[in-house]
Amino acid sequence: MKKERKKNLYTLAVWTWSWVATMAIATFGPKYIWDGHSVLTALAVSVNFVHGILMIFANRKFFNNLDELQRKIHLESLALTLGLAIVVGLSYSLLDVTNLINYDAEISNLVIFVSLSYLVLVTINTRRYL
Amino acid sequence: MKNRLKVLRAEHSYTQEDLAEIIGVSRQTINAIEKEKFDPSLPTAFRISKLFKLPIETIFYFEET
């Protein structure tokens, strides 16, 4: 069981990194590699999308293979992260719409916030059961 | 919920890691159950009961505080 969990974690890490890599290619490729060629750009975006879907499946497999305590820890963290993402995301958007901040609200900032929140919450929840 | 898991494990000379492997959970889960920070699911409780050949209610019991 432990071996299978490690294998699932490894698979998830591989798909996550390949998703990040294809995201970087799709983002910077049009400007620095293929000079804005629209077919290549569409292909890069499609490849990135497919890798994202495969990463989600790998994450589901990893999650389903966790034991009951680990699943509880991750579920609690996910619930809080989802709530935080909606509340903070909409507040951030409101700040932009009402011109209380003098720059555009970037989705990447929200992604970073969600990732860090999840990481911190999983750490806190794991420590609660030590 | 209270339990006698730590005592039973010691009587059978199992480490937390051994027990976790046999029951099919992580070592952290065994530790959390022993410290009464986490109540196991019914399937896990049944597997523990079967391993120690004892009824569930003699391993896990409810004590009102």
Side-chain angles (χ1 to χ4, degrees):
Chain A
M1 189 148 191
K2 200 176 172 183
K3 209 174 169 185
E4 203 183 333
R5 219 167 281 157
K6 272 190 179 171
K7 192 184 146 204
N8 288 338
L9 186 62
Y10 177 76
T11 308
L12 177 60
V14 167
W15 281 117
T16 306
W17 280 110
S18 80
W19 176 71
V20 171
T22 54
M23 174 70 82
I25 291 168
T27 306
F28 300 110
K31 194 175 177 186
Y32 299 108
I33 305 173
W34 55 78
D35 202 24
H37 195 292
S38 58
V39 176
L40 288 176
T41 305
L43 186 71
V45 171
S46 306
V47 168
N48 175 243
F49 181 76
V50 171
H51 278 241
I53 298 293
L54 291 169
M55 178 186 69
I56 292 169
F57 280 115
N59 193 32
R60 188 182 71 165
K61 195 176 176 193
F62 167 75
F63 196 86
N64 285 336
N65 195 251
L66 293 175
D67 78 8
E68 53 208 76
L69 177 62
Q70 293 167 330
R71 214 173 291 167
K72 184 181 162 73
I73 288 168
H74 281 268
L75 262 179
E76 283 179 6
S77 307
L78 280 170
L80 286 167
T81 304
L82 177 65
L84 280 170
I86 292 170
V87 172
V88 173
L90 288 178
S91 297
Y92 184 47
S93 171
L94 266 178
L95 287 176
D96 182 20
V97 171
T98 55
N99 290 323
L100 283 171
I101 49 174
N102 52 6
Y103 53 91
D104 287 337
E106 295 288 340
I107 188 77
S108 53
N109 290 339
L110 187 63
V111 173
I112 292 168
F113 174 76
V114 167
S115 309
L116 291 177
S117 302
Y118 187 53
L119 197 68
V120 169
L121 287 165
V122 166
T123 308
I124 291 170
N125 280 330
T126 303
R127 289 180 67 90
R128 273 176 57 203
Y129 293 103
L130 282 179
Chain B
M1 197 164 67
K2 305 272 179 192
N3 70 74
R4 294 173 51 219
L5 191 59
K6 193 174 182 176
V7 176
L8 290 169
R9 181 172 62 78
E11 282 173 5
H12 290 75
S13 307
Y14 287 134
T15 62
Q16 285 187 342
E17 194 72 53
D18 296 336
L19 190 58
E21 196 62 42
I22 296 166
I23 302 300
V25 294
S26 62
R27 194 201 60 77
Q28 188 198 4
T29 300
I30 297 295
N31 185 53
I33 295 170
E34 283 186 1
K35 287 188 170 175
E36 294 165 356
K37 288 181 175 178
F38 176 70
D39 295 332
S41 65
L42 261 182
T44 301
F46 271 107
R47 278 196 286 270
I48 292 169
S49 150
K50 196 177 166 191
L51 175 70
F52 293 124
K53 297 183 179 71
L54 287 169
I56 285 181
E57 62 269 26
T58 62
I59 305 172
F60 301 97
Y61 52 96
F62 188 68
E63 201 170 81
E64 271 191 83
T65 51

